[in-house]
Amino acid sequence: MGFFGNQLSNVVEWQEYRDDIIFWKWCNDEIKKGSRLIIRPGQDAIFMYNGKTEGVFRDEGSFDIESDIMPFLSSLKGFKFGFNSGIRAEVLFINTKEFTIKWGTKNAINIPAPQLNLPGGLPIRSFGTFSCKVSDYQALIDKVAGIKQQYTVEDIKERVLAVLDQLLMKWIAKEGRDMFNLQANAYDISKGIKEDLDMELCKIGIAITEFNISSFSYPEEVQKMQNRAASQSMVGDMGRYQQISMMDSMARNDSGGNMATNMAGMQMGMMMGQQMANQMAANMNGMQQGNQTQQGSGMAPRFCPNCGTPTNGANFCGNCGQRLV
């Protein structure tokens, strides 16, 4: 075996393993008298005889096979080790931890998008992660372990990717979702795919405990259209959009960076000056309207219409002598 060291016939153990191996089968020639079973943390050991499951052992530790294991085996309880005899049995070691696996679409999948009038559909890519663990030992033995020496995460990944494109198409197209805002529906899409994948992999004793979609990606042309539309909606109208585009273009030019800053400052100064002029005009209009009202009622205006000096109720302006009443 390339992944594991040589196993002694009197020590039944999975001595070393990679993190991506789901199960490994110990199948030396025979188990002899005095052999011991060693179960390490994160492992379960399954005894098999003539292809039949004899017992499952989950407690970690070192056990004498003759005294600690044999009495619990279904059809081997009465087996007695002779002087040179042994039993030809297999021990399947299961990795009990949960595995997290990255996935991604190998090729873009074409999702129907009638609003775009594309014959082949809208090409979309996606990637994320899913988690799984062994859930049914007997199904795993019947479907996989009976013919394999070991089973790895890569084997699970290949099985998932074989059906993932169809599941993505099914759950993206479900209920007429917005093709340009799939990320908003990522949770519902992930939930549906998880349920379908779990039903598919439970056939081989594997449970899908989680499925996540990290991102959807569109063709470059579609992404540019989305960015342009988002910018225009933020600005509000095309005139302001063009102004901001011009300022952005000037700011990106290293030689024009100071000029862009100066122009922005000039525009701010002009806007402030215009506001001050408007305020002064409003004040003058208010003064004139007040004077006209007071003159029409036979009372002296509050300000001299000739020089603008406060009248304080006098009939003549104290500054220029203008008659007020």
Side-chain angles (χ1 to χ4, degrees):
M1 294 298 300
F3 297 135
F4 308 94
N6 293 327
Q7 303 291 328
L8 300 177
S9 60
N10 62 343
V11 179
V12 181
E13 63 177 337
W14 188 8
Q15 191 171 12
E16 56 180 314
Y17 59 90
R18 302 182 324 202
D19 287 342
D20 64 336
I21 295 180
I22 297 173
F23 74 73
W24 175 77
K25 187 188 298 181
W26 186 97
C27 52
N28 284 17
D29 290 339
E30 61 182 13
I31 298 174
K32 296 180 179 180
K33 184 180 178 68
S35 295
R36 298 193 66 81
L37 171 67
I38 298 176
I39 304 177
R40 291 181 167 80
Q43 297 178 359
D44 285 352
I46 303 175
F47 267 76
M48 295 186 296
Y49 182 69
N50 290 334
K52 178 184 176 182
T53 300
E54 293 291 332
V56 180
F57 301 90
R58 306 176 187 274
D59 296 333
E60 60 186 75
S62 178
F63 307 93
D64 181 87
I65 290 180
E66 184 176 13
S67 60
D68 298 330
I69 303 300
M70 295 291 287
F72 299 96
L73 302 182
S74 301
S75 59
L76 294 175
K77 291 180 180 180
F79 181 85
K80 299 295 182 183
F81 287 99
F83 181 70
N84 286 320
S85 67
I87 56 173
R88 294 182 177 275
E90 297 176 329
V91 181
L92 186 69
F93 287 93
I94 304 289
N95 191 337
T96 61
K97 75 175 183 180
E98 185 176 86
F99 299 89
T100 298
I101 305 169
K102 294 181 179 180
W103 64 268
T105 51
K106 293 181 179 180
N107 302 302
I109 56 176
N110 292 322
I111 305 298
Q115 63 271 38
L116 296 181
N117 196 25
L118 296 175
L122 178 64
I124 293 176
R125 294 179 182 271
S126 184
F127 67 92
T129 61
F130 69 91
S131 299
C132 64
K133 63 183 302 182
V134 178
S135 60
D136 186 336
Y137 289 171
Q138 194 57 51
L140 186 68
I141 292 170
D142 294 342
K143 300 295 185 179
V144 181
I147 58 175
K148 283 184 174 289
Q149 176 72 23
Q150 66 183 25
Y151 203 55
T152 68
V153 163
E154 192 62 28
D155 294 319
I156 294 291
K157 184 176 180 180
E158 289 182 4
R159 195 176 185 104
V160 168
L161 292 180
V163 299
L164 188 56
D165 285 2
Q166 291 85 349
L167 294 179
L168 279 168
M169 291 181 66
K170 169 186 174 181
W171 288 98
I172 289 175
K174 190 176 179 64
E175 298 176 0
R177 292 189 171 95
D178 182 1
M179 293 297 102
F180 301 102
N181 195 21
L182 292 177
Q183 201 62 41
N185 297 304
Y187 175 80
D188 293 332
I189 297 172
S190 298
K191 184 178 178 181
I193 293 176
K194 173 188 174 298
E195 293 174 355
D196 284 354
L197 277 181
D198 189 53
M199 291 181 61
E200 177 66 25
L201 293 185
C202 73
K203 300 174 184 177
I204 61 170
I206 302 294
I208 300 295
T209 57
E210 192 172 359
F211 187 91
N212 295 308
I213 297 175
S214 300
S215 178
F216 290 99
S217 61
Y218 300 89
E220 183 178 356
E221 295 79 6
V222 175
Q223 292 179 343
K224 288 181 178 179
M225 290 172 58
Q226 288 180 312
N227 294 337
R228 188 178 301 115
S231 298
Q232 292 178 4
S233 63
M234 290 176 62
V235 172
D237 60 69
M238 184 59 69
R240 294 176 62 192
Y241 174 71
Q242 291 175 347
Q243 292 175 2
I244 290 180
S245 297
M246 180 185 69
M247 296 299 292
D248 287 343
S249 177
M250 295 174 64
R252 284 193 296 269
N253 187 344
D254 292 339
S255 62
N258 292 333
M259 182 174 65
T261 303
N262 293 338
M263 288 183 63
M266 291 173 61
Q267 289 184 356
M268 291 180 64
M270 293 172 63
M271 291 172 62
M272 293 176 63
Q274 183 65 38
Q275 290 178 353
M276 293 176 63
N278 292 341
Q279 185 64 35
M280 291 177 63
N283 292 339
M284 290 297 295
N285 289 335
M287 290 172 57
Q288 292 176 359
Q289 291 175 1
N291 288 344
Q292 291 173 357
T293 300
Q294 290 176 343
Q295 288 176 355
S297 61
M299 298 175 57
R302 296 176 59 188
F303 299 93
C304 176
N306 185 45
C307 66
T309 302
T311 62
N312 297 322
N315 294 329
F316 295 90
C317 176
N319 181 49
C320 66
Q322 172 69 35
R323 181 178 178 84
L324 302 175
V325 179

